[in-house]
Amino acid sequence: MLEKRMKIVIAPDSFKDSLSATEVADVIEAGLQEVFPEAELIKCPMADGGEGTLDTILAVVKGERCSSLVTGPLGDIVEASWAWLPGSHTAIIEMAEASGLQLVPVAQRNACLSTSRGTGELILEALDIGARRIVLTLGGSATNDAGSGMLEALGARFLDSEQWPLPPGGQVLAALNRIDLSSLDPRLPEVRFEVMVDVDNPLCGPNGASYTFAQQNGATRAEVARLDRALGHFAACCQALFENDHRDYPGSGAAGGMGFATRTFLKAEFRPGIEIVAELAELARRIQDADLVITGEGRCDVQTLRGKTTLGVTHVARQHQVPVIVLAGTLGEGYADLYSHGVTAAFSLVSGPMTLTDACQQTPELLRALARDIGRVLRLSTDVRTKTLTSSAL
């Protein structure tokens, strides 16, 4: 009887500033194939909700890439991609595509004025083609408007004391007097909203959206304080309307307060991004009869244990008692704690002194060489096992 070929599932995240998750999987596959061509290699690139999640999902799931012209963070028109999975009537919307920081030149970034309206317009596009489930990823936002722009696109009206609509942005929420939901899209209650979020910041306070993220979006220190007060006032108005308060819900501060809006107005369920991506990609099914899983990301350290891709993949593999090898650009403090979660071994690409710039530029070569070395070890173990079985048979 011929021995079963070794099956290896390759399920990495991207290496930031170097390779996408799909490219990482391709490089690892190439390195393994150099010395272990008989192995069955299954590529399943992963993501945890940050930029590039949309591309990663479409690389492993049968879906359609859609493109829409929507309102950008500063009011101009931008082209945004999103995904449609017709089999499950699911839309995947990456907020960064419509309202992302990468859409705004550094000199024009203004957290006080930027709007999340474009993200709401993408939700409308999804509703129009029959979405029953909408998955939102909240990484990379340029906004700090607590999702008010998104809600305006869906029909909500935010009015001042004279009943005039407020202009775009987070700072003007300090003048909010009344929230009018009479024209909110009636299809919203029939849709299941899931939010990929990898931070647990509240909406307000020293760890809230404004103090944590607004400066990178162009706000001065004085503006940060004003934005925080404005978002607090917005939360108080929402509390009076809904008789509940989600400002301290973990993740409400994500994406400039978009987490708060989705939780309060859309009743969204917050889930770790890797959990949703793994579900969509049917990672468990791919892993269940595998001999090994190879995963990894740009840096593995204590932050990885807070729900990053490497940890999520490891948890799935552990459920099926499949060993896991981690490949990372660097291994930082706390990475060894992954061993108690099911990781068998972890390796860094950089074996000697090297600048970050050089490491990023050489990532493909370094990663392929490391994968090749791991393939040599796996090949050796397979050869030894085959010889042992042959000797026993004789």
Side-chain angles (χ1 to χ4, degrees):
M1 181 181 294
L2 293 176
E3 187 180 2
K4 170 183 172 292
R5 288 195 303 163
M6 177 175 280
K7 176 181 175 181
I8 302 172
V9 174
I10 305 170
D13 201 339
S14 63
F15 280 38
K16 191 172 183 180
D17 298 324
S18 300
L19 298 172
S20 69
T22 299
E23 290 170 334
V24 171
D26 288 343
V27 171
I28 293 173
E29 177 190 46
L32 291 172
Q33 285 181 331
E34 283 190 45
V35 295
F36 203 4
E38 65 268 34
E40 180 185 3
L41 305 178
I42 308 297
K43 293 183 295 183
C44 190
M46 290 282 107
D48 58 18
E51 294 175 44
T53 295
L54 183 70
D55 292 332
T56 299
I57 290 174
L58 285 174
V60 293
V61 176
K62 291 183 179 179
E64 304 170 9
R65 179 181 293 276
C66 305
S67 182
S68 303
L69 296 177
V70 298
T71 304
L74 295 183
D76 52 335
I77 301 301
V78 299
E79 185 175 6
S81 295
W82 54 288
W84 173 239
L85 313 182
S88 59
H89 292 84
T90 297
I92 313 294
I93 294 175
E94 186 172 312
M95 184 181 178
E97 283 284 320
S99 311
L101 195 60
Q102 83 280 359
L103 299 173
V104 186
V106 174
Q108 298 178 32
R109 291 176 181 176
N110 192 325
C112 296
L113 304 179
S114 53
T115 176
S116 58
R117 185 179 185 88
T119 300
E121 291 169 348
L122 289 182
I123 292 174
L124 287 179
E125 294 267 1
L127 293 175
D128 287 344
I129 63 172
R132 308 296 294 175
R133 176 192 184 195
I134 295 178
V135 178
L136 291 170
T137 78
L138 299 191
S141 168
T143 67
N144 205 94
D145 67 352
S148 57
M150 176 269 293
L151 294 166
E152 284 180 320
L154 298 177
R157 299 176 72 224
F158 300 101
L159 310 172
D160 63 18
S161 59
E162 297 183 3
Q163 304 308 296
W164 287 100
L166 296 175
Q171 189 169 267
V172 296
L173 292 173
L176 178 63
N177 178 261
R178 185 168 70 88
I179 301 174
D180 178 5
L181 300 181
S182 60
S183 297
L184 195 65
D185 196 300
R187 297 170 293 182
L188 292 171
E190 305 302 320
V191 178
R192 175 185 174 189
F193 284 90
E194 297 176 23
V195 170
M196 290 190 193
V197 57
D198 61 358
V199 299
D200 55 7
N201 302 78
L203 179 66
C204 304
N207 296 316
S210 302
Y211 279 99
T212 305
F213 306 113
Q215 280 191 282
Q216 71 184 27
N217 292 350
T220 65
R221 290 187 178 182
E223 289 171 336
V224 165
R226 289 199 294 270
L227 282 166
D228 186 63
R229 290 193 295 271
L231 267 55
H233 177 66
F234 179 60
C237 293
C238 292
Q239 182 180 9
L241 179 64
F242 293 105
E243 298 184 351
N244 56 41
D245 190 355
H246 293 295
R247 77 182 79 187
D248 292 328
Y249 190 86
S252 284
M258 176 65 86
F260 175 81
T262 59
R263 184 73 181 175
T264 301
F265 291 84
L266 305 179
K267 298 180 175 57
E269 176 187 359
F270 286 21
R271 297 177 61 190
I274 180 58
E275 183 179 294
I276 296 178
V277 175
E279 176 186 295
L280 292 170
E282 298 184 316
L283 181 63
R285 177 183 61 79
R286 298 170 189 260
I287 284 178
Q288 63 184 1
D289 61 344
D291 298 292
L292 175 69
V293 172
I294 297 179
T295 186
E297 53 196 270
R299 178 178 175 83
C300 282
D301 55 22
V302 67
Q303 294 296 318
T304 303
L305 299 173
R306 300 188 67 180
K308 297 293 187 180
T309 293
T310 296
L311 183 67
V313 172
T314 299
H315 282 172
V316 175
R318 192 174 194 177
Q319 292 171 8
H320 297 281
Q321 299 181 320
V322 177
V324 176
I325 290 178
V326 172
L327 309 185
T330 59
L331 296 172
E333 184 178 354
Y335 86 89
D337 291 339
L338 285 167
Y339 296 148
S340 64
H341 289 268
V343 169
T344 301
F347 300 94
S348 170
L349 268 62
V350 180
S351 58
M354 183 177 293
T355 67
L356 178 60
T357 299
D358 288 342
C360 288
Q361 291 176 345
Q362 297 178 40
T363 293
E365 295 80 8
L366 293 170
L367 183 59
R368 181 166 180 156
L370 181 56
R372 182 175 61 242
D373 289 344
I374 289 173
R376 293 178 68 87
V377 174
L378 296 173
R379 176 68 180 266
L380 173 63
S381 65
T382 301
D383 289 347
V384 169
R385 184 172 57 185
T386 300
K387 289 179 179 179
T388 301
L389 291 173
T390 301
S391 298
S392 299
L394 295 175

